[in-house]
Amino acid sequence: MNLANKITLARIFLVPVVMIFLLVRFDIGQIQMGSVVLKMNEMIATLIFILAAVTDGLDGYIARKNKMVTNLGKFLDPLADKLLITAALVSLVEMQRLDAWIAIVIIGREFAVTALRLIAAAEGYIIAASPLGKLKTIIQIVAIVSLMLNNVPFSTISFPFSLVATWLAVLITIISGLDYFYKNRKIVTLTKTQ
């Protein structure tokens, strides 16, 4: 197993760690930021989530730079991304910081695009990540981090950054999903005719 795949596996192993720090009630202190109280375990979870998110770009860069792209890596990398985002969204719903329908829209889009990629692979096509898809991931990560931090530091100036970031994430998630299906509609038509 090469270094890039090890980094991807580390990201997968960080997923339950993020969930534990978000959902298990530790009493390890808190910080008051204006009217918002932020628990230390939530800050730790956020830092681990950011670390895991950063490894997404790192493993791909290492694999391409050192010509270590493998089938295992092609399978594990998107799986790790989806696990990380899904776990964070489900945790935020449980913490009542995110409406369930938003999580369903984002997770549903991921399942739909994954299904499209599987259909394409069965037909001999590879659907690469689009620029919109990459932008979607970045905006989702920003929204998730702001929700984990309960809108800190923006809560001190009464700016609803996490709300704006969340709505932007929903919008770009829908647009990028539609973009994938529109640009790859020939694949869907091919499977209908056979």
Side-chain angles (χ1 to χ4, degrees):
M1 178 171 298
N2 64 40
L3 177 61
N5 290 343
K6 287 178 183 174
I7 292 170
T8 305
L9 275 178
R11 184 160 77 253
I12 291 172
F13 288 124
L14 287 176
V15 170
V17 178
V18 170
M19 291 186 78
I20 287 168
F21 276 100
L22 279 179
L23 299 176
V24 176
R25 300 293 168 228
F26 295 109
D27 190 13
I28 55 176
Q30 58 189 26
I31 297 173
Q32 181 88 30
M33 298 283 286
S35 62
V36 177
V37 174
L38 192 59
K39 297 175 183 162
M40 290 301 291
N41 58 302
E42 294 171 356
M43 290 182 65
I44 292 168
T46 305
L47 290 173
I48 295 168
F49 177 84
I50 291 169
L51 173 68
V54 167
T55 66
D56 180 25
L58 182 64
D59 60 4
Y61 172 77
I62 289 171
R64 286 185 300 275
K65 182 180 181 223
N66 299 313
K67 298 183 180 14
M68 294 190 288
V69 176
T70 64
N71 287 334
L72 178 63
K74 288 178 189 176
F75 170 75
L76 284 180
D77 187 57
L79 175 66
D81 298 343
K82 284 164 187 37
L83 285 173
L84 183 65
I85 297 294
T86 300
L89 293 172
V90 169
S91 298
L92 289 166
V93 169
E94 172 67 21
M95 295 167 69
Q96 298 181 347
R97 292 193 187 164
L98 183 69
D99 290 338
W101 73 266
I102 292 174
I104 290 167
V105 166
I106 294 172
I107 295 167
R109 180 260 186 216
E110 298 304 329
F111 276 113
V113 171
T114 298
L116 178 64
R117 282 194 165 118
L118 289 172
I119 292 167
E123 298 292 331
Y125 296 99
I126 294 174
I127 299 176
S130 72
L132 264 179
K134 291 176 184 177
L135 178 65
K136 177 259 326 168
T137 302
I138 292 167
I139 293 172
Q140 284 178 355
I141 289 168
V142 168
I144 288 168
V145 167
S146 69
L147 289 165
M148 284 181 175
L149 292 176
N150 207 9
N151 202 43
V152 169
F154 299 99
S155 56
T156 57
I157 57 169
S158 299
F159 178 68
F161 180 82
S162 60
L163 180 66
V164 171
T166 301
W167 277 105
L168 192 56
V170 170
L171 185 63
I172 194 71
T173 295
I174 293 168
I175 291 169
S176 68
L178 292 172
D179 181 61
Y180 271 108
F181 277 90
Y182 179 75
K183 287 182 177 171
N184 298 288
R185 61 192 181 280
K186 66 179 180 189
I187 292 165
V188 177
T189 359
L190 276 175
T191 56
K192 281 183 183 176
T193 58
Q194 294 178 352

